[in-house]
Amino acid sequence: MKQTKIAIIGAGGLTGKELTKLIAHHPGFELVHVTSNQVDGKHIREVFPDLSHLPDLKFQKHDAPVPKDAGVVLATPNEVSLDKAPQFLKEGRKVIDLSGTFRLHNQTKFEKAYQFPHTEFGLMDQVVFGLPELFREKLKNANFVSNPGCYATSAILPIALLGNLRKDIQGPVIVDAKSGVSGAGGRTEEIKFAYTNVYENFRAYKILTHQHEPEMEEYGFIGTEEKEILFTPHLLPIYRGILATIYISFPKGMDPKQVEENFQVAAAKEPFVRLYQTPEEVEIRKVQNTNFLDLGFRIKGNTLVIVSALDNLVKGAAGQALQNLNLMYGYPETEGLVTL
């Protein structure tokens, strides 16, 4: 069986490491190139001694030539992706970008959220948002995919899977989410994410200013009128996982059977969506190290409360990227993801 070559730019980070592990265990993909400016020259097994089945590769710098015919995954900071994605697309490669650089179609909103000018906005006509549950058919023919954010996925999917019920939503929708440090900025050695500041502590951050808020607004309401979302993220004293509580108001009382039916249809056809009978059953520990998004709901009067959970490094990043790679290259969508 001929394998598809894959290069990971920025493989030394947390998401890059997770994707390295997934690709190394995938029967259809061959990891042929990994980069990290921080560990340039070191063998991949030296950097990731806890992972098995790793290829015989050494890390190179981001600017090193990428092997011919290799698809590229960018697990890089936003500004690096802005520089690298156009280069790889010009070379005729398939590209998945895990940063937030190519997610938003409103340039003003992007530059306000990410705080730097977007100099390649013309590429937004080519990009497909990498949420398979919403854009599966487009992803099968895509050459350029923007992987969703982790917090964003935890909110977009539950809202979008409401289907036609979304047209009656009264904004704003309130998203209250908690993440482990690997999804909340722990990719750097900033003191606020250090163990001593996280352990036995709990706090909110980027209140109403988080870059995933406009992403939730754009994609949660695809096909219907966009509603305002008010998003507050919190930092949990754990390593991985996100739990989101989503509060949605309607003009009148909702029929729980309608909501349940919509979610049941999604759970029946989507391999990585699981519906629980009660929201209390949704827990971070049930999704850690998996590509699942779990959800449950309850209705009181005209208010719908949805609780969702996912692993920010898997369904929120690397696992979703592999799901997208499978679709882009014609492999079964669940390949390499159902037995993590």
Side-chain angles (χ1 to χ4, degrees):
M1 177 181 177
K2 185 179 179 181
Q3 291 181 303
T4 303
K5 297 177 181 177
I6 298 294
I8 303 176
I9 311 302
L14 298 181
T15 298
K17 177 182 179 180
E18 197 75 23
L19 185 58
T20 295
K21 176 181 70 174
L22 293 174
I23 295 291
H25 287 81
H26 192 291
F29 291 122
E30 178 189 6
L31 187 60
V32 296
H33 184 77
V34 290
T35 78
S36 169
N37 288 343
Q38 284 71 37
V39 293
D40 171 45
K42 290 188 177 182
H43 196 281
I44 191 170
R45 293 172 195 160
E46 179 185 1
V47 179
F48 302 144
D50 55 320
L51 299 187
S52 61
H53 305 295
L54 293 178
D56 187 16
L57 290 175
K58 287 186 177 180
F59 280 95
Q60 301 183 52
K61 289 190 178 297
H62 292 335
D63 291 333
V66 175
K68 185 180 179 182
D69 300 328
V72 173
V73 180
L74 295 168
T76 47
N78 297 309
E79 292 87 347
V80 177
S81 290
L82 184 65
D83 176 55
K84 293 294 182 185
Q87 297 177 23
F88 291 127
L89 289 169
K90 287 177 183 177
E91 293 174 6
R93 301 179 189 273
K94 289 182 181 290
V95 175
I96 292 184
D97 178 30
L98 273 72
S99 82
T101 305
F102 294 96
R103 293 174 186 159
L104 301 179
H105 285 81
N106 183 309
Q107 188 169 358
T108 301
K109 285 187 177 181
F110 172 86
E111 293 180 352
K112 180 180 179 181
Y114 286 88
Q115 298 293 299
F116 69 91
H118 200 305
T119 56
E120 299 287 348
F121 213 75
L123 290 176
M124 293 306 301
D125 292 336
Q126 302 178 33
V127 73
V128 177
F129 191 63
L131 200 55
E133 292 81 1
L134 301 185
F135 300 107
R136 182 170 285 111
E137 295 307 312
K138 288 185 178 181
L139 287 164
K140 291 178 180 178
N141 299 302
N143 291 317
F144 185 23
V145 171
S146 179
N147 222 57
C150 52
Y151 276 127
T153 299
S154 74
I156 291 170
L157 265 184
I159 295 170
L161 295 180
L162 286 169
N164 60 350
L165 297 177
R166 295 174 301 157
K167 69 180 186 301
D168 297 322
I169 290 174
Q170 290 185 321
V173 172
I174 297 172
V175 178
D176 183 306
K178 287 86 175 171
S179 173
V181 291
S182 63
R187 288 169 293 277
T188 67
E189 291 303 317
E190 297 174 28
I191 188 65
K192 61 186 177 181
F193 297 108
Y195 177 78
T196 52
N197 274 319
V198 175
Y199 181 66
E200 289 291 331
N201 195 14
F202 182 57
R203 63 181 174 84
Y205 67 102
K206 289 189 177 181
I207 300 160
L208 303 182
T209 62
H210 197 282
Q211 65 272 18
H212 289 182
E213 188 175 271
E215 188 179 336
M216 295 173 187
E217 292 174 339
E218 178 171 345
Y219 296 103
F221 298 97
I222 286 286
T224 188
E225 182 184 355
E226 187 175 301
K227 305 293 194 305
E228 182 183 16
I229 286 181
L230 302 178
F231 171 46
T232 300
H234 301 76
L235 182 62
L236 287 170
I238 62 174
Y239 177 63
R240 63 197 302 156
I242 288 176
L243 189 131
T245 306
I246 304 161
Y247 300 85
I248 303 175
S249 295
F250 290 87
K252 58 182 180 179
M254 293 288 294
D255 181 359
K257 290 183 178 179
Q258 280 187 293
V259 177
E260 184 173 15
E261 183 177 331
N262 283 25
F263 283 151
Q264 282 180 336
V265 168
K269 70 178 183 178
E270 294 299 341
F272 297 112
V273 174
R274 300 189 297 198
L275 175 65
Y276 283 83
Q277 290 187 336
T278 68
E280 287 86 358
E281 294 174 87
V282 179
E283 302 178 63
I284 284 177
R285 67 176 179 175
K286 293 179 180 177
V287 296
Q288 285 176 323
N289 299 293
T290 81
N291 199 54
F292 291 112
L293 177 135
D294 288 355
L295 59 86
F297 75 93
R298 183 164 293 135
I299 294 172
K300 183 177 182 180
N302 65 338
T303 301
L304 167 65
V305 176
I306 306 171
V307 177
S308 71
L310 56 75
D311 186 319
N312 55 283
L313 291 175
V314 190
K315 184 57 175 170
Q320 191 141 257
L322 182 56
Q323 200 177 345
N324 290 325
L325 284 169
N326 282 335
L327 289 167
M328 294 168 75
Y329 285 100
Y331 296 106
E333 187 175 336
T334 58
E335 188 75 71
L337 289 167
V338 289
T339 56
L340 297 183

